[in-house]
Amino acid sequence: PRCGLEQLALSIMRFHFPTARARRSVAGAEFWVQLRSSDDPRAKRGLALHYDKDEVAVETWDIWAHPELATATYFTTGGAPLVAFSTCSREDGSSDEEGEGSEG
């Protein structure tokens, strides 16, 4: 790992996929960072509702591939609520709801 965030991503993957055999099914990992401030204009304080997906696969082949595992980590005492839904995407990007959303 080249930095602490890559080490964190690797540790999370190893926790959830503890054996080398299990990790062979993992194609990769991604992380991104956002810095938000209450001093920001209201429109820039949050992130709109979105689907986590492989953006390259959507743009290149119009394939909606979602992560097998996702996590959100806040390094502050506050943060926006996270909502997760159990859904399946159709080929056109629309989705069928499979279950209730959960908030965490």
Side-chain angles (χ1 to χ4, degrees):
R2 296 171 294 181
C3 66
L5 290 174
E6 285 186 358
Q7 181 62 51
L8 177 62
L10 184 60
S11 296
I12 290 168
M13 182 195 63
R14 286 181 174 159
F15 177 82
H16 290 282
F17 300 93
T19 65
R21 182 176 182 185
R23 285 193 292 274
R24 282 195 286 272
S25 67
V26 178
E30 137 185 310
F31 65 86
W32 46 273
V33 176
Q34 291 191 1
L35 179 61
R36 305 291 177 150
S37 170
S38 59
D39 295 332
D40 289 340
R42 192 175 224 6
K44 292 192 172 218
R45 289 187 203 164
L47 184 64
L49 185 63
H50 69 282
Y51 291 102
D52 282 347
K53 61 190 175 300
D54 183 332
E55 299 290 346
V56 173
V58 172
E59 292 296 321
T60 305
W61 303 288
D62 198 28
I63 295 172
W64 285 62
H66 303 287
E68 180 73 25
L69 173 73
T71 181
T73 305
Y74 295 94
F75 292 109
T76 65
T77 56
L82 174 68
V83 180
F85 298 96
S86 178
T87 60
C88 290
S89 293
R90 296 185 191 111
E91 288 185 27
D92 66 358
S94 62
S95 64
D96 289 326
E97 188 173 324
E98 287 184 336
E100 297 294 318
S102 61
E103 203 171 300

